[in-house]
Amino acid sequence: MIFKALFLQLFTRPVTNRFPAKYMPKSVLGFLEKVGEGKAKLVPPVPVTEGFRGKIAYDREKCIGCQMCIRVCPARVIEFKPEEKKIRMYVARCTYCAQCVDVCPVGALSRSQEFLLADYDRFSPNLVVE
Amino acid sequence: MREKVKPEEKAEANEIAQACSTCFEVPIGPIHPALKEGIRFTFWIEGERIRKVDIRPGFMHRGIEFMGTKRNLIQVLYLAERICGICSISHPLAIVQAVEQAAGIEVPPRAQYIRVIIGELERIHSHLLWAGVAAHELGFDTLLHYVWKVREPVLDILEDLTGNRINYAIPIYGGVRRDVPPEKYPVLKDALRYYRSLVDDFVNFFLRDPSIEARTRGVGVLTPAEADSLCAVGPTARASGLRKDVRQDWPYFAYPDLEVKAITPEDMGLEVRGDVYDRIVVRLLEVVQSIEIIERCLEEMPDGEITAFPKVAALLAHLKKAEGEGIGRHEAPRGEVIHYIRLQAGEEAPVVWKVKAPTYSNLMPWYPMFRDQEIADIPIVAASIDPCICCMERVQIVRDGRAETMWREELLRLSWDKTRRIVGGLGASHVAREGI
């Protein structure tokens, strides 16, 4: 019977993290603005693990323009800029497999820990890496 | 979407009408309470009892196999991962076997063990997810929330080992992409100990709960003979007493060393009845089995390389040269998944990619399971095979904007044509010679 386990549950902390605030604000955007102004405090998201595959970070200087990442990318995130021999990534399409990180011969690409990537515009500066 | 009624179909409908003059026809789906995915059931109901059922899949077709033949093999791997959101390692594990067979790649032993560990962790999480869904279908939402709460640690472990909670992106042709370093063993062992300590709770909450027993005992019975003749796979077959498991019958990866045995309710000292209750028993026992397998893996795992191709560019070059065909099979949490692949030298994309997901084999057993059940038991009986409709959908026939139903002879003819196309196009003529 489940009653005992349920009763004990009353005295344990919830498993879920109350992100972004302990109680749901009336307007999430309004709340985030307040956080920006320093008037409210954000409940931090659950920290990610060390090996987490988040948004891909790009080191422009190291890139040699070999296009191997474009060949292996399953979601066709990466676009080649022929005049500069550099790449541009549209993060909104990314599946976060990090295969491009594995294939890069010079280590210009790396996994970052960033994952809060929700946005209204898929071409916003936050979601286009170049 | 209107359907063209074929003469065969009409004759069948008349037959039902004659056999059961007081039957009502109740359509359920494609959007319905039993499953999150689209499939349509038509029930012929007499009073509260189901007399006959018809199933119409085809609403979730995505054309994945076609997409696969337009991409190179590394891209196909991640596409395969996205065939199913829950068994997101089963499909990659099957396709890597197929490609390794076709391209003649030898996999280092440590990689084989890591594949087994991730595969078994996924089985734990998938069976717990199913247990929650089953509780929900019974109207026991308290248990749903409890089970999904205890499912979190295994997802955390998967995130720790692979980098993501789902879609792990771990296997690659020739090995795995990430090692399980010895520093991670204690965390993994802690999680396994946690699940071991929960087994008694699960037996209490699921198997000794009077309301669950009342709702599942004798419901959705699939006899061993029916399970055998309808080719049921996975826990559905094992709950009917068939000792059928790819890990036991055709061991692959590190499974030959681990001596996995197929589990049936007999292992818990119960008589096999093949009902929904037995399916719960089998899945709970398999969670315990998975824990044992991972513990053995951690003890016996050899040191060494984790991939045959440390450089991805070398792997791509090798795959481009490869020619041949391969079949990969893996015991997914829902049953046997099979991938067939054919490679041609000079082509980066596979020429043919065929996927058979476990639910495809488990659809037909729905017919005997639903027979003479009550309307209220439809959700739990439907959910008891752990269906994953999206994985299974391989074809949808649309002609002139209308969906069509195909019958056996037509399908057989089309499948012969396709075999001829595949084999003939690649220079072999034995199919034509033997007059298949």
Side-chain angles (χ1 to χ4, degrees), chain A residues 1-2 5-6 9 15 48-49 51-53 68 71-74 76 95-99 102-103 111, chain B residues 70-72 75 78 82 142-143 149 159 162-164 167-169 172 177-178 204-205 210 312 316 348:
Chain A
M1 298 291 272
I2 198 173
L6 290 184
Q9 189 68 42
V15 191
V48 294
T49 54
F52 181 74
R53 299 194 305 267
M68 278 309 282
R71 241 179 105 191
V72 298
C73 181
R76 295 176 186 163
T95 58
Y96 308 103
C97 64
Q99 185 67 58
D102 284 12
V103 81
R111 296 176 275 109
Chain B
K70 300 275 172 279
R71 287 159 162 76
N72 71 38
Q75 293 171 317
Y78 297 102
R82 277 150 187 85
T142 315
L143 200 49
K149 185 195 96 177
E159 187 187 338
T162 69
N164 260 347
N167 292 339
Y168 321 112
I172 189 134
R177 291 178 57 199
R178 228 179 250 195
N204 272 333
F205 299 165
V312 183
L316 269 172
E348 284 209 312

Side-chain angles (χ1 to χ4, degrees), chain B residues 266-282:
Chain B
E266 282 165 357
D267 297 335
M268 216 181 161
L270 295 168
E271 183 199 344
V272 175
R273 298 197 206 173
D275 52 12
V276 178
Y277 188 87
D278 279 355
R279 276 164 227 145
I280 301 177
V281 172
V282 166

Side-chain angles (χ1 to χ4, degrees), chain B residues 265-325:
Chain B
E266 282 165 357
D267 297 335
M268 216 181 161
L270 295 168
E271 183 199 344
V272 175
R273 298 197 206 173
D275 52 12
V276 178
Y277 188 87
D278 279 355
R279 276 164 227 145
I280 301 177
V281 172
V282 166
R283 288 198 173 92
L284 286 183
L285 291 177
E286 282 189 16
V287 170
V288 182
Q289 187 191 32
S290 290
I291 296 172
E292 282 164 6
I293 292 174
I294 300 169
E295 281 173 348
R296 267 194 74 177
C297 279
L298 288 179
E299 274 171 30
E300 296 175 9
M301 193 152 64
D303 290 333
E305 287 291 312
I306 55 160
T307 170
F309 291 94
K311 289 258 182 273
V312 183
L315 173 65
L316 269 172
H318 182 90
L319 291 176
K320 196 168 179 181
K321 278 185 290 180
E323 173 143 358
E325 58 182 350

Side-chain angles (χ1 to χ4, degrees), chain A residues 27-71:
Chain A
S27 148
V28 177
L29 282 181
F31 173 75
L32 290 179
E33 261 171 37
K34 271 188 194 167
V35 171
E37 290 161 17
K39 283 182 197 162
K41 228 177 132 195
L42 194 78
V43 175
V46 181
V48 294
T49 54
E50 197 192 325
F52 181 74
R53 299 194 305 267
K55 184 178 166 185
I56 305 293
Y58 175 46
D59 186 342
R60 214 183 127 79
E61 301 310 315
K62 278 190 191 165
C63 181
I64 52 168
C66 69
Q67 301 188 50
M68 278 309 282
C69 49
I70 297 176
R71 241 179 105 191

Side-chain angles (χ1 to χ4, degrees), chain B residues 378-394:
Chain B
I378 291 172
I380 183 63
V381 174
S384 71
I385 66 159
D386 203 356
C388 195
I389 311 298
C390 272
C391 319
M392 177 222 43
E393 300 282 24
R394 287 291 156 264

